[in-house]
Structures are given as structure tokens and as C-alpha cells.
Amino acid sequence: MSEVLNVENLFGENVFTVGKMKERLPKKIYAEVRRVMDQGGELSLTTADIVAKAMKDWAVEHGATHYTHWFQPLTGITAEKHDSFVTHPDADGKMLMEFSGKELIKGEPDASSFPSGGLRTTFEARGYTVWDITSPAFLKEDATGVILCIPTAFCSYKGEALDKKTPLLRSMDAISEQALRIVRLFGNTEAKKVVPSVGAEQEYFLIDRTKYLKRKDLMFAGRTLFGAPAPKGQEMEDHYFGVIRERIGAFMKDLNIELWKLGVTAKTQHNEAAPAQHELAPIYEMANIATDHNQLVMETMKKVAERHNLRCLLHEKPFAGVNGSGKHDNWSLTTDNGVNLLDPGATPNENIQFLLVLACVMKAVDTHADLLRRSASNVGNDLRLGADEAPPAIISIFLGDQLEDVVRQLVETGEARSCLEGSKLQTGVSTMQQLDKDATDRNRTSPLAFTGNKFEFRMVGSSDSIGSPNTTLNAIVAEAFCEAADILEKAEDFELAVHDLIKEYMTKHQRIIFNGNGYSEEWVKEAERRGLPNFRTMIDSIETLTTDKAVKLYEKFGIYTRAELESRKEILYETYVKTINIEALTMIDMASKEILPATVRYSRALADTVIAVKEAGADPTTQAELLQEVNEKLTCLKKALDHLKKVEAEGTAIVDFKEQAFYYRDVIVKAMEALRKPADELELLVDRAMWPFPTYGDLIFDV
Ligand code: ADP
Ligand code: MG
């Protein structure tokens, strides 16, 4: 028997939870902390000192030697700089471990090397990290020892956001304020806050680490840049939900334990569609905590994989020809007195508050489809979106039969008298229970699907932070709520006004609803006819950040200033260029130093064979044909390599980031594809023993 795991005891072991605060803080102090957590405001320095001491004592009892302000700069990952609790020894040489309220609340890392997109020049290096009191501090245990991590936001000297968390927190305030106005209209006087809840399903690949280390492309770019398809891919659909192999199971078990200790509610685990692909989903929680926790999930996956001599790949498309990885961002809105604004109830047609919320979401998504698309764009996702495995690059909403029918009735007659009901599930087996069926099936091709009591935003890339997608969802819906509340608060006859408004919004924005097959070519045409935007690649969508409507939205709710938006644009163009450039240089390196030499060696062996066979008096035609074929491909390879080298050099010389990004997409990416083709063909010809790195078959089937 294996050792019994006490998950209840384990859970949150490494977290300074609200419960621990309550236990360790004087009542009055705890009440003050709680008030700031729930309602905002500032802690007095005296209180902060007491909280810091309690936090430090708890951390030190658990072996912590250092603390860090843990933040999320615009690199998309997390950053930390450790400080020990060590202080100056007294006259007797005795040292006391200390941690002050000031150190808890504010940090000042030398921030000059983080991307700021021109918000700061290099000499203005000051940046501040500020404690996010609503996200609990936790302990990270690794070879460095035990580190107390304090979740923080990261701003410049002038208070401009330099991270993913600050705008998210601002957007949460905005949507809370506007959603409260909506629920007040319906008589909810109790709620003090409305919180966006988020559950992020995380897809990932696991491969053998020893093989990973033999592939420069995986090491430098996180994805394969070469590789012929293996004889078998995912066509048998035998991996999805398949039995989890022992080695992977051991990884998952270890991962769950680490996550539970960190207070992450790891809930579901399964094999995904592609060979070597898997998924983990936690239970949903407040958007900022979910965002922090998703970073911890990604980080812990990578760490635990190493222990099992595995490598976790979070890239959106590590392997061509099989599915890539995404992150489904499940989003809903709940009042602090427990009402989910996206819960339609049994009869959505009679739930006016729900219908108004739905109408506002339709309006928000239709008005700002471009911003949503942008928020789910990154370099890796360009290889996924619209490639018939992930949602298309066009934003639309899937409502399902029941709600679509309600919307149709409202648009046509201004009233929804009936609603389709879920029937019984007929299995045709007499010994099985009849189950109630949902009123609606699922649609896996939709980018934004209504799934029962939440929206599932399925475009997000697997390696990306969920900060921007959720900031965007919160912001655009806050705006729609605000506009609706402005009208309805003034209405003389509320009942009438709300019906009119629901009908108006649904009619005006019904083009955003699409229940059909998002992978089909007809949808692309239909979407164009409807006037829905279609940004095919990441860099097509960057300018959407500073359109008049975007600036108006973000400035109105204090989520981003124009300067912050401009800076983010610059960083996005820059990131695109840098990423593709690394990929191009990696391909040049692998082609020049590995693929070419291997092919030359193989052709030499073939040439020797031709001569030997001839000398031995046999017919060397077949060997000569093989040699000829290899030689031709080698010539193509060399040509494509020279071309890539040339255009890469030209690309690096372009000064303007935006111009450079488009050049990289239109010229360099094409040159990379041209180089990959002969290389992959050669892989299928050259003697396996001579091929310089593990193949797709080795990587994804032999884990
Ligand atoms: P599936 O793969 O079937 O879509 P999963 O169980 O993998 O479902 O993931 C669903 C995610 O949605 C989980 O993280 C879950 O906690 C989250 N979720 C469920 N209800 C809500 C809600 N009301 N708001 C936000 N997220 C939710
Ligand atoms: Mg899932």
C-alpha cells in the first residue's frame, strides 16, 4: 500500500492564509486587515508592522530565511529578488531576524532591466513593488531554501503600471463598481462588491528531459523548428482521456501535492488530444488570485518535471501536425452575497437581471472584439488560432440552443415567453438511470462559449499570463454595465426601460452570436459579411490597443493610461521581433552545425557505397539514385539556409520596431518555413543513426 496522503492537512500548508492571520494577529489588527482586503484602503504602518512580524514568524517557523516581493513584469512570467531576514548584529554580535511593515508593503527593486516600453529611460530605473493584500503570501521551497513570497504589483516611479497585475486589479475595481450599480437596480442592497471569478484550465506537454537537451530548438525556442511528422500522430484519438502512464502519473501526483501545499486547488487532470499532451484545471477563484495561481501552476509544472527527468513544454505549438496547447479562461461575476450574475436559473427567459447582464456582455464583446482578440495574442498562439485545432482568430460568442432561442424571441418580439428545456438522457439501457440533460450541447470551436453559468474564453495561449484576457473582459463588461446603469438609473419606468434596453442591445449586437462550426471556411466569409474583425496574426492586432475607443474605455475606468497602452504596444512589437529572431538564429545554428554536416556525412557514405558496389561488379543504380536525391535536397537546404541568413541580417538592421515586426512576419517566417521543408524531407531519407537529434516519434511517443 502506498503512504496515505492527508490532503486536508497538506492543503495550504505553505500559505499564510486568512485563517493563519486570524490565529496569529490581535483581534483589532486582524479586523483592520480584513477591512482593507474586503473594502480597500490603507493599513497604518503600526498595523503593517504587526502583520509583517506575524508573517515572518510563521515563515521562519517553516524554515524561511528570505522574503521576496513576487511580481509579474511584462515578460509574462514572474520575477523575484530575495532578501534575507538577517539584520545588523548588536554589540554582542547577536543577530535577530526581522521584517518590517514597510518592507512588507513596498519594495524597490532596481527595475531597469524589465521591459517598460519607453515608460522609463534606462537611467530612471526606479520601480516599486506594492503588496497585493488580497492575494495570500506563500512559501516557495526549493534548492535555494524556503522563501516567503509576497504577491505584489509593479509600478514605475510615476505610478505607471509595469506589470500584468496592476491593470487587472484596477479592472476588478471597475467591474465591481459598475456591476454593483446593476444589481442595485434589481433591489440587491446587501452586496458590497462584485468579484470576477476565474478558473484557468492549463494544457501542457511533457517530454523526456534527456531528449529535450539534444534539441537546440526546444532549448532556445521552446518549440520544435524542425521535425518530420511521426508515422502516427493523434488520428486514432487514443491519447485524449486515455490511461495515464506510470511516469506521467508520478509527475501528476507530485505536482498536485506541491500545488495543494501552495493553496492551489488542483482539481482535474487528464491526457489531452496530442500524444504527450496533458491538462490540469484548478477550481475557480477571484481573478487576481487565479492569475497568481496560474503562474504558480506553470512554474511548479516546470520544476516538478525536472525531478522526474521530464521537461514541461508550455509553448502554444511545440510540435507541428498535432494539437498545440491553450488555456481556457473560465470567467464569471459573483456578488459578495453569493449571486452569480451569469447564472440563468431554470428559466432564463424570466430572469431579467441575467438577460440584462447577457445583453451587456454581447454589447461589450461586439464593441471590443478587437481588444479581446489582442488580449489572447502572443507569438506562439499565431501557430494555433485559426488552424482548426483551437478557436478561429475571429471573436464570436456561443450561447447554445436555449439562450440563442431566448435572444431570438427577444429580438423578434421584445419578449421571451418560453424557453427550451433540457430533456431526459435516453441511453436505451434499462438498468441505467434517466438523467436530466443540459438544455444545450457544447461547441468546441467557439472562442467565447457560454457554459452554464460562466463564459469560457478559449483563445488564450498556454504559456501566456491570464492577466490581460481577464483585464480586458472586466474592462469591456464594466463599460457596458456603466452605460446601461446610466440609462436605467434615470428611467421613470424601470421595467419598461430594462426591457427596451435588453432588446436594443441584443438586436444591435446579435451579429456576435455564432453557434455553428468555427473551423469552417464559410464562417470566415460569414464573419466578414457581418463586419466582425479578423486579425490573423498577433501583430495585426497590436494597434487595437490605442484606437480612440480603446483609450476612452481604459482611461474612463482608470485601467490604463494612454502612455501605458503605448508602452505595451512597443513591448509587444519588440517581443515579436525578438522571439522570431531567436527562432531564426536557432534554425540557422541547427541547419549549419547539425543537419548539413549529418547530411554531408550520409552522402559521403552513399558515394563510397556507389564506388564500392561498382568495384565489386554489381549495379549501383539504386545507391546512386539515393545519393542524387539526398544531394538535391542538400542543395535546397543550403540555398534556403543562405537566404535565411541574409534576410535575418537585413531584419536586424531595421530600426522601427513595428516595421521590423511586419518584416519578420512577412519575410523571415517565410524563410524559416522554406528552410524547414528540405530539412524535414532529409530527415526521412538520412540514416537514422546519423540524424543529429531525436525525432518527433522519439519525443512524443517515447516518454
Ligand atoms: P471542461 O474541460 O469540461 O471545460 P474543467 O473541469 O477542465 O472543464 O474546467 C472548468 C473550469 O471552470 C474549472 O477551473 C472550474 O473551476 C471553472 N469554473 C466552474 N464554474 C465557474 C464559474 N462560475 N466561474 C468561473 N470559473 C468556473
Ligand atoms: Mg478541461
Side-chain angles (χ1 to χ4, degrees):
M1 280 295 279
S2 61
E3 200 188 323
V4 178
L5 261 185
N6 189 333
V7 181
E8 288 179 8
N9 281 352
L10 199 78
F11 189 81
E13 191 179 281
N14 288 352
V15 186
F16 194 56
T17 54
V18 172
K20 284 176 193 145
M21 261 196 240
K22 200 168 171 181
E23 253 170 48
R24 286 169 178 260
L25 293 174
K27 262 208 174 83
K28 254 178 75 187
I29 301 289
Y30 172 73
E32 194 180 333
V33 172
R34 204 59 241 219
R35 187 181 44 76
V36 176
M37 268 182 175
D38 295 339
Q39 296 160 37
E42 278 178 25
L43 285 187
S44 70
L45 207 53
T46 338
T47 306
D49 274 333
I50 299 170
V51 178
K53 179 162 184 317
M55 201 186 267
K56 186 246 347 180
D57 288 347
W58 167 78
V60 170
E61 280 163 32
H62 287 78
T65 51
H66 293 68
Y67 73 92
T68 183
H69 276 197
W70 186 73
F71 59 106
Q72 300 169 28
L74 295 168
T75 50
I77 50 174
T78 60
E80 51 194 76
K81 175 194 169 203
H82 305 166
D83 271 287
S84 71
F85 296 118
V86 170
T87 53
H88 206 282
D90 65 14
D92 300 331
K94 166 110 182 92
M95 189 279 298
L96 286 176
M97 304 275 266
E98 267 173 25
F99 183 47
S100 70
K102 233 164 102 188
E103 287 167 314
L104 166 64
I105 291 174
K106 195 183 99 187
E108 199 199 321
D110 178 350
S112 54
S113 292
F114 290 108
S116 81
L119 276 182
R120 283 169 330 189
T121 45
T122 317
F123 61 88
E124 293 171 325
R126 255 185 224 280
Y128 294 107
T129 47
V130 190
W131 183 28
D132 173 9
I133 194 170
T134 58
S135 182
F138 58 92
L139 299 175
K140 256 211 247 182
E141 288 176 282
D142 53 34
T144 333
V146 181
I147 314 286
L148 169 67
C149 297
I150 298 151
T152 54
F154 179 45
C155 305
S156 75
Y157 186 66
K158 293 181 194 134
E160 288 143 334
L162 294 174
D163 68 347
K164 304 254 178 187
K165 175 172 264 210
T166 310
L168 177 63
L169 291 172
R170 292 172 180 165
S171 76
M172 288 168 68
D173 279 347
I175 195 148
S176 180
E177 193 181 320
Q178 301 307 325
L180 272 180
R181 293 175 66 194
I182 299 289
V183 299
R184 292 272 186 271
L185 286 167
F186 289 90
N188 183 341
T189 48
E190 255 178 66
K192 292 196 188 65
K193 195 155 111 171
V194 177
V195 178
S197 305
V198 170
E201 301 164 55
Q202 176 72 47
E203 293 180 338
Y204 61 99
F205 278 84
L206 284 177
I207 59 169
D208 184 85
R209 184 168 172 275
T210 314
K211 289 181 195 140
Y212 161 88
L213 291 172
K214 294 190 177 134
R215 301 257 338 192
K216 294 252 159 42
D217 46 5
L218 287 175
M219 284 172 64
F220 296 131
R223 72 169 176 117
T224 54
L225 297 162
F226 294 104
K232 184 183 173 193
Q234 64 188 53
E235 62 274 52
M236 300 301 286
E237 291 165 353
D238 52 356
H239 193 256
Y240 190 59
F241 285 15
V243 175
I244 296 167
R245 286 188 307 284
E246 290 280 280
R247 187 176 183 192
I248 305 301
F251 160 87
M252 287 181 173
K253 180 180 171 192
D254 220 0
L255 174 65
N256 287 331
I257 293 174
E258 291 295 326
L259 290 176
W260 289 332
K261 282 204 238 168
L262 287 166
V264 179
T265 48
K267 176 84 174 164
T268 61
Q269 61 194 25
H270 61 85
N271 287 350
E272 255 300 329
Q277 192 186 28
H278 314 278
E279 183 188 294
L280 176 143
I283 298 173
Y284 65 93
E285 50 198 340
M286 200 157 95
N288 61 323
I289 301 181
T291 305
D292 287 357
H293 280 173
N294 182 250
Q295 290 288 353
L296 282 180
V297 166
M298 294 195 282
E299 205 177 302
T300 312
M301 279 177 170
K302 288 189 201 156
K303 191 164 88 182
V304 172
E306 297 290 311
R307 279 189 216 150
H308 293 258
N309 199 33
L310 291 164
R311 186 76 191 187
C312 174
L313 303 178
L314 292 172
H315 193 281
E316 284 71 21
K317 191 76 181 174
F319 305 99
V322 293
N323 275 14
S325 301
K327 181 140 50 192
H328 291 180
D329 187 80
N330 294 272
W331 177 91
S332 69
L333 290 171
T334 317
T335 65
D336 58 352
N337 64 345
V339 183
N340 178 353
L341 303 191
L342 289 171
D343 188 353
T347 47
N349 55 318
E350 290 162 4
N351 186 342
I352 306 300
Q353 178 179 302
F354 170 76
L355 291 175
L356 177 64
V357 169
L358 180 65
C360 287
V361 173
M362 284 171 63
K363 176 179 187 228
V365 175
D366 187 29
T367 311
H368 298 293
D370 56 345
L371 287 177
L372 262 187
R373 162 67 174 105
R374 213 303 307 148
S375 78
S377 307
N378 71 11
V379 191
N381 233 2
D382 275 5
L383 299 163
R384 240 182 111 237
L385 297 180
D388 290 5
E389 55 160 284
I394 306 161
I395 294 277
S396 66
I397 298 178
F398 169 81
L399 287 182
D401 300 335
Q402 190 190 44
L403 284 185
E404 200 193 10
D405 176 62
V406 170
V407 171
R408 187 187 49 75
Q409 293 181 54
L410 285 166
V411 169
E412 282 172 9
T413 67
E415 245 176 303
R417 290 182 186 279
S418 65
C419 91
L420 303 175
E421 278 181 36
S423 50
K424 291 280 180 198
L425 185 69
Q426 305 286 357
T427 57
V429 180
S430 64
T431 51
M432 285 196 346
Q433 273 193 346
Q434 285 203 357
L435 300 179
D436 290 334
K437 216 163 66 168
D438 291 300
T440 295
D441 200 358
R442 297 196 184 202
N443 179 332
R444 65 191 184 95
T445 68
S446 177
L448 191 62
F450 185 76
T451 43
N453 60 1
K454 59 185 159 68
F455 277 98
E456 189 173 342
F457 187 31
R458 302 197 180 119
M459 259 190 181
V460 186
S462 50
S463 70
D464 223 350
S465 156
I466 53 169
S468 300
N470 288 307
T471 303
T472 311
L473 281 167
N474 295 341
I476 66 178
V477 176
E479 183 187 58
F481 282 168
C482 175
E483 285 170 17
D486 285 347
I487 295 168
L488 295 175
E489 282 166 359
K490 283 196 288 251
E492 274 170 22
D493 183 340
F494 174 70
E495 297 284 310
L496 199 70
V498 76
H499 273 94
D500 285 351
L501 200 65
I502 292 170
K503 181 174 182 207
E504 182 197 322
Y505 282 3
M506 287 188 173
T507 309
K508 232 183 188 158
H509 301 288
Q510 56 181 321
R511 66 170 185 172
I512 200 70
I513 307 291
F514 178 62
N515 279 355
N517 177 8
Y519 292 172
S520 69
E521 204 29 57
E522 294 85 77
W523 169 233
V524 178
K525 289 196 199 110
E526 166 66 13
E528 197 182 332
R529 206 184 50 73
R530 294 188 191 184
L532 299 176
N534 184 2
F535 298 98
R536 283 173 206 280
T537 64
M538 164 184 166
I539 53 172
D540 292 315
S541 71
I542 295 177
E543 290 303 315
T544 62
L545 283 175
T546 50
T547 59
D548 288 345
K549 94 178 156 62
V551 175
K552 194 173 138 240
L553 160 74
Y554 286 130
E555 290 201 329
K556 176 167 181 183
F557 296 101
I559 296 168
Y560 293 109
T561 62
R562 181 183 279 279
E564 286 170 341
L565 290 165
E566 291 287 352
S567 81
R568 268 152 219 256
K569 267 172 49 178
E570 192 171 318
I571 292 168
L572 289 167
Y573 285 123
E574 197 179 329
T575 305
Y576 185 84
V577 169
K578 286 180 178 165
T579 309
I580 305 285
N581 200 54
I582 291 170
E583 293 188 346
L585 291 177
T586 306
M587 287 188 86
I588 293 171
D589 187 271
M590 289 171 79
S592 321
K593 298 199 205 133
E594 296 181 90
I595 303 174
L596 264 174
T599 311
V600 167
R601 243 177 288 135
Y602 183 55
S603 53
R604 166 72 193 260
L606 284 173
D608 288 350
T609 312
V610 172
I611 295 168
V613 169
K614 206 170 177 179
E615 269 177 12
D619 176 11
T621 314
T622 307
Q623 288 84 343
E625 273 172 16
L626 243 173
L627 176 60
Q628 184 65 23
E629 202 180 336
V630 170
N631 219 26
E632 275 165 21
K633 303 256 184 271
L634 184 63
T635 310
C636 291
L637 182 83
K638 178 70 174 43
K639 251 199 191 143
L641 174 61
D642 290 342
H643 179 66
L644 180 58
K645 280 185 185 163
K646 182 174 148 276
V647 293
E648 192 276 335
E650 284 166 12
T652 359
I654 301 171
V655 186
D656 179 66
F657 268 132
K658 182 175 172 189
E659 187 191 332
Q660 201 180 20
F662 280 92
Y663 175 88
Y664 268 72
R665 185 192 68 183
D666 296 334
V667 180
I668 299 201
V669 170
K670 296 245 152 55
M672 286 162 57
E673 283 164 5
L675 175 59
R676 178 170 184 156
K677 190 166 175 286
D680 289 359
E681 287 165 358
L682 278 167
E683 187 193 311
L684 298 173
L685 289 174
V686 172
D687 182 351
R688 169 182 289 275
M690 288 186 179
W691 197 248
F693 39 75
T695 62
Y696 271 27
D698 303 328
L699 290 169
I700 59 179
F701 281 98
D702 187 16
V703 190

